[in-house]
Amino acid sequence: MPLKQRAVNDEQRLERRQVLLEAAWQLFQDNSYEKINIADVAHVAGLAKGTVYLYFPTKEALFLAVQAEQLVGWFDELEQELSGLGGVGDASRVASIICATLSRRPALTRLFAILHTVLEQNIDYPTALAFKKLLLERILRLGTTLEASLPFLQPGQGAQTALWIYTFLLGLQQLTNPAPLVREVIAHEPGMGVFAFDFCHECQAAVTTFLIGLENRKNENGL
Amino acid sequence: MPLKQRAVNDEQRLERRQVLLEAAWQLFQDNSYEKINIADVAHVAGLAKGTVYLYFPTKEALFLAVQAEQLVGWFDELEQELSGLGGVGDASRVASIICATLSRRPALTRLFAILHTVLEQNIDYPTALAFKKLLLERILRLGTTLEASLPFLQPGQGAQTALWIYTFLLGLQQLTNPAPLVREVIAHEPGMGVFAFDFCHECQAAVTTFLIGLENRKNENGL
Amino acid sequence: MPLKQRAVNDEQRLERRQVLLEAAWQLFQDNSYEKINIADVAHVAGLAKGTVYLYFPTKEALFLAVQAEQLVGWFDELEQELSGLGGVGDASRVASIICATLSRRPALTRLFAILHTVLEQNIDYPTALAFKKLLLERILRLGTTLEASLPFLQPGQGAQTALWIYTFLLGLQQLTNPAPLVREVIAHEPGMGVFAFDFCHECQAAVTTFLIGLENRKNENGL
Amino acid sequence: MPLKQRAVNDEQRLERRQVLLEAAWQLFQDNSYEKINIADVAHVAGLAKGTVYLYFPTKEALFLAVQAEQLVGWFDELEQELSGLGGVGDASRVASIICATLSRRPALTRLFAILHTVLEQNIDYPTALAFKKLLLERILRLGTTLEASLPFLQPGQGAQTALWIYTFLLGLQQLTNPAPLVREVIAHEPGMGVFAFDFCHECQAAVTTFLIGLENRKNENGL
DNA sequence: AATGAATGAGGATTCATTCAT
DNA sequence: TATGAATGAATCCTCATTCAT
C-alpha cells in the first residue's frame, strides 16, 4: 500500500528527490557514510526503501547528488560574500570568508573526503561526467570571483587558486576531525597539543599564508 | 614463497612481521584498503590466515604498522635530502625534494588518507598513542630540519609548516588519484584539463607558493 | 520447495514464519543446536539466508520461537489429556500422560536444555520477558489442571508441582539422550545397564513416585 | 625454552595433571565452558598451551577429567555425611545433606549439564568407558549408602534412587542458574516470583518429597 | 617433556539492490 | 510510481589442535 501520493509530474518528482537529498544530508551530519544505510535514508524521508532507487541508481549516486547540492550551496554563499568585498579584498579577508562559510557546514569537508575515496568508485560515466562538469563550472566561476576580489591575481590564476585552496581544505578536514579515541589521545597525552587543530583557525592562517605566497610570486614567471 | 621455518626468536619474529608488512604494502599498491582482506595478505606472505593475527591483532593494526613504517621511510629520506641543502635552501628546492620523495611512493598519500578515515577508527588507546607519538616526533624533527633549510623560518615555525605541508599533501593525493572512471572522464571530455593534475607538478607549485607566503609573512605578527 | 510467492500480508507473513519454525524444528530433530546454521534453516525452508533475518533477528530468537511453539503444543496436548481424567486422576495416570505426550516429542526436552544454556544467553529483554510470560502463564494453567486432576493437591500446589516435574524432565532428557558413542558404551559394556534408561519408563516411575510423595505430605506442614 | 622442570616420573606427571585440572576448575567457577580456552587454562596452570595436550587429548577430555574429579569429591563427602546418619536417616535429613554438599559446589551442577550436552560428544571410546565405569561404581556405592541410611529402601532400590535424585539435580541447576538478563526479568517483572528458585530450598523440598514418595510405594509392586 | 608458532576451518549477520505486487 | 519482501555476497576473527624446535 503506497503511503505517499505518487509523483506524477516533474515538479513532484524533483520535490521528492529533494526530500531524499535532505534526508541523506541530515543523516550524514551525525553518522559516517558507512553507518548510513538506504533504509535509514528512506525512513527519514518518509518513503520506502525501493523508492530511493527510483530516484538514485545507487547509494553512491545519492550521496554524490548530496555532494553536488551542498557544493553549490557553499559556492553560492562563498561567491556572494566574496563579491561583497568589492574588489578590494586581501588575503586575510578572503581566508576569513572561506573559513566562515565552511564553519557553517562542518560535515561538508567530510563529504569531500568521501567523494574521492568512495563515491567516485562506483558510479557510471554519465554521472561522473555530470558531476565533474558541475564542479568545473563552479571552480571556474569561483576563480573569476577570486580574481575580482584579489587584485594581485593574474587572469587565469583564480581557478588554480581555488583548486589549491580546495585541496588544502580536503586535507585539513581529515586532520581536524580525528576519531574519538585519537581525540582522547591528543587531549590527554602531553605534547600532543600540536595535533589539536582548530579547523577555523588553521584554515584562516594557512589560506592567508598561501594567498600571500601567491601575491609575492606575481612578479616571478608563472607557476 | 618466503621462509617457512618457525620464527622462534625475536629476530625471526621481526623478520616475519616484516614479511607481513611488505605483503600488505604490496597489495595496497594496486588495491583499495577495503578490497584487501587478511587472507590475501597471508597468502602473499606465504603464511596462514591465523598467523597474521599472531603479529597484528586486527586488520587496522596491520595497516597502521604499514603506515608507520612507510612514514618513517619517507621522513628519513626527506630529512636526508633536506640536510643535503646545507641551510641554503629556498622554497622551490624544498618543494622539489618533497615532491620527488613522494613521487617514489605513490600509494603513501592514499594510505595517509585512510589513516584518518579508517585506521584510527578501530584501534585501541595504546596503539593510537604509540602511532601519534611516532608521528609527533617525526613532525617535530622534520620541523627542525625545515628550519635549518629555510633561513626565513623562525624558531618553532618548522613544525607548523611541516604540518601544513602534510595537510596539503593529504588533500592533493585525493585529487590526483581519481577513480579509473573519473580519470577517463577527465581524459576524454573537453575542458576537464583543469582536473588533470599531475601530483608532482602541483605539489611543486603549491608548496613553493606556500613557503613564499610564509617567507613574506615573517615580518608580520605571527599567524 | 515451499511457497515462493511473496508474503505481502500478515497472514502470509505468519505462514512464512511458520515455515521457518518448522524448518528449524525439523533440523533440530537430527542435529545439535550448534551444528545447525541459518543457511541450513533457510535452505530447508526454501528461502534465502537473509530472509530468515526478516523474521527473526538472531539465531537464538528463532530457536526461542521454536521452543515457544513446541511448548504450547505440548502443554495444550497435556492439558487436554489431563482434562480427560475428569478429576479422578491418580499419580500413575498423570505420569502416564506426561510420558506419552513427551514421547511424541523426543527432541523437546533437548530443546529445553538448550533454552537455559544457550538461548536465554543472547536475547534482549523484551524477548526474554515475552517468553517467560508465556511460560509462566502455561505453568500456572497446567498447575490448575493438575489440581483438578489430582484431588490430593492443595490449592496453589499445582504450579509448584508442574515446575518440579518440568525440572525433573529437564534432567531426565540429558540422561536419556546420550551421545552416540556413550550409547555404544552403555550397550556393549557389561554392567552398564543401569544407565540404559528408557525415557518413558523412567519418567513414568519417577513422576509417579514424586506425586505419591506429594500426596503423602499433604497432612504435614507445607513443603 | 622450557620454563618448567620436566615431569620425568609418574608422580611428577600426576602432579602436573592435577595442576591443570585445578586451573580448569578454577576458570570454570566464573566462566562458561565456551568462554574458557585452552590457552587460559595453560596460563593459569603456568604451563604452555601445547603442554596441556600432553596430558589431555582434547578440551573435552580435560573437562571430563575435571568432572570425574569433582564428582568423586562430592560423592565422597556425600557418603561420609550420609554414613554419619547411622542408619536412622529420614527423607528430610538425606535431602538436607544432598543440598548442603552441593551448595558448597555451585559450579558442579553446571558442569553436570555440560557433561551430557558437550563433553560426551567429542571423546573417544576408552575415555567414555572409563568415565562411565567410574560413574557407575560411585552410583552403586551411593545406592548402598542410601539404602543403609533410609530403612524404607529395599535392596537394589538405592542406585535407582541415586540416579533419580541426580537427574532432578541436573534439571534444577538449569532453572536456578538463569542467564543474567533472565534473572533481571524475573526480578523486575511482577508475577515472575514463581521462577525465583533458590537451589537449596527447592532441592530440599523436592528431594524430600521424592523420598517420601519412595517410602510410600514400598509396599506396592516395584516401579 | 615442554614449548609456542603455525594452522585453517568455521558462521552469524548486514545491507545494497532487485523485483513481484 | 510505490512498496517492502527477498536476495546472497562478502568477511574478520577465534581457538582447538598440530608439530617443529
Side-chain angles (χ1 to χ4, degrees), chain C residues 14-222:
Chain C
L14 278 175
E15 192 181 345
R16 185 140 297 182
R17 187 187 139 100
Q18 197 58 31
V19 168
L20 283 167
L21 288 178
E22 273 158 25
W25 178 237
Q26 179 187 324
L27 283 166
F28 191 74
Q29 307 300 314
D30 304 318
N31 299 97
S32 75
Y33 175 77
E34 289 78 18
K35 290 286 173 201
I36 301 172
N37 57 42
I38 293 291
D40 293 337
V41 176
H43 181 73
V44 169
L47 295 168
K49 215 178 347 174
T51 310
V52 179
Y53 287 89
L54 295 179
Y55 292 87
F56 301 98
T58 63
K59 185 184 174 187
E60 281 83 14
L62 167 62
F63 277 90
L64 197 66
V66 171
Q67 168 97 282
E69 193 190 31
Q70 295 299 325
L71 196 77
V72 166
W74 177 45
F75 273 47
D76 279 347
E77 196 177 322
L78 199 54
E79 285 183 44
Q80 192 173 14
E81 300 217 7
L82 287 175
S83 303
L85 292 178
V88 294
D90 60 9
S92 181
R93 281 196 198 158
V94 167
S96 280
I97 288 171
I98 292 172
C99 295
T101 53
L102 266 181
S103 290
R104 285 178 220 123
R105 297 167 170 80
L108 183 57
T109 45
R110 186 158 54 88
L111 192 51
F112 283 149
I114 286 168
L115 171 67
H116 304 282
T117 311
V118 181
L119 298 191
E120 292 186 344
Q121 305 287 341
N122 206 11
I123 53 178
D124 54 17
Y125 196 96
T127 308
L129 177 58
F131 185 80
K132 282 289 167 189
K133 268 189 176 163
L134 172 68
L135 187 58
L136 176 63
E137 182 208 326
R138 301 308 305 241
I139 290 269
L140 292 178
R141 200 200 296 182
L142 179 60
T144 310
T145 310
L146 280 175
E147 288 173 22
S149 306
L150 298 168
F152 59 81
L153 283 182
Q154 294 169 351
Q157 233 181 350
Q160 182 62 268
T161 305
L163 261 173
W164 279 353
I165 291 175
Y166 175 73
T167 303
F168 185 80
L169 294 172
L170 219 55
L172 188 56
Q173 91 78 21
Q174 294 192 24
L175 289 181
T176 55
N177 290 292
L181 192 94
V182 175
R183 198 181 294 272
E184 219 179 306
V185 168
I186 291 171
H188 295 350
E189 301 292 333
M192 290 289 167
V194 182
F195 293 124
F197 285 152
D198 170 66
F199 180 85
C200 204
H201 182 259
E202 293 298 322
C203 177
Q204 167 76 40
V207 172
T208 301
T209 302
F210 193 76
L211 292 175
I212 291 175
L214 276 174
E215 185 172 8
N216 286 277
R217 287 189 68 185
K218 66 172 184 285
N219 295 324
E220 307 175 23
N221 45 5

Side-chain angles (χ1 to χ4, degrees), chain D residues 111-130:
Chain D
L111 191 52
F112 283 150
I114 286 169
L115 172 66
H116 305 281
T117 310
V118 181
L119 299 191
E120 292 187 346
Q121 305 288 341
N122 202 15
I123 54 178
D124 55 16
Y125 196 96
T127 308
L129 178 57

Side-chain angles (χ1 to χ4, degrees), chain D residues 132-192:
Chain D
K132 282 291 166 185
K133 270 190 173 161
L134 173 67
L135 186 58
L136 176 62
E137 183 209 324
R138 300 306 306 241
I139 291 269
L140 292 178
R141 199 199 295 183
L142 180 60
T144 310
T145 309
L146 279 175
E147 288 172 21
S149 305
L150 297 168
F152 58 80
L153 283 183
Q154 294 171 353
Q157 232 181 352
Q160 182 61 270
T161 305
L163 261 172
W164 280 352
I165 292 175
Y166 175 72
T167 302
F168 185 81
L169 295 172
L170 219 54
L172 189 56
Q173 94 81 20
Q174 293 191 26
L175 289 181
T176 54
N177 291 292
L181 192 93
V182 175
R183 198 181 293 273
E184 218 178 305
V185 170
I186 291 172
H188 293 351
E189 302 291 334
M192 290 289 166

Side-chain angles (χ1 to χ4, degrees), chain B residues 4 6 16 48-49 51 55:
Chain B
K4 280 306 257 181
R6 291 180 172 216
R16 186 140 297 181
K49 214 180 348 175
T51 309
Y55 293 87

Side-chain angles (χ1 to χ4, degrees), chain D residues 42-210:
Chain D
H43 180 74
V44 170
L47 294 169
K49 210 174 2 166
T51 309
V52 179
Y53 287 86
L54 296 177
Y55 293 88
F56 301 97
T58 64
K59 185 184 176 186
E60 282 84 11
L62 167 62
F63 276 90
L64 197 67
V66 171
Q67 168 98 281
E69 193 189 31
Q70 295 300 324
L71 198 76
V72 165
W74 177 45
F75 273 47
D76 279 348
E77 194 175 323
L78 200 53
E79 287 183 41
Q80 192 173 11
E81 299 217 8
L82 287 174
S83 303
L85 292 178
V88 293
D90 59 9
S92 181
R93 281 195 199 159
V94 167
S96 281
I97 289 171
I98 291 173
C99 295
T101 53
L102 267 179
S103 291
R104 284 177 221 122
R105 297 168 170 80
L108 184 57
T109 45
R110 188 158 52 90
L111 191 52
F112 283 150
I114 286 169
L115 172 66
H116 305 281
T117 310
V118 181
L119 299 191
E120 292 187 346
Q121 305 288 341
N122 202 15
I123 54 178
D124 55 16
Y125 196 96
T127 308
L129 178 57
F131 184 80
K132 282 291 166 185
K133 270 190 173 161
L134 173 67
L135 186 58
L136 176 62
E137 183 209 324
R138 300 306 306 241
I139 291 269
L140 292 178
R141 199 199 295 183
L142 180 60
T144 310
T145 309
L146 279 175
E147 288 172 21
S149 305
L150 297 168
F152 58 80
L153 283 183
Q154 294 171 353
Q157 232 181 352
Q160 182 61 270
T161 305
L163 261 172
W164 280 352
I165 292 175
Y166 175 72
T167 302
F168 185 81
L169 295 172
L170 219 54
L172 189 56
Q173 94 81 20
Q174 293 191 26
L175 289 181
T176 54
N177 291 292
L181 192 93
V182 175
R183 198 181 293 273
E184 218 178 305
V185 170
I186 291 172
H188 293 351
E189 302 291 334
M192 290 289 166
V194 182
F195 294 124
F197 284 152
D198 171 67
F199 180 86
C200 206
H201 181 260
E202 295 297 320
C203 178
Q204 170 74 39
V207 172
T208 302
T209 302
F210 194 76

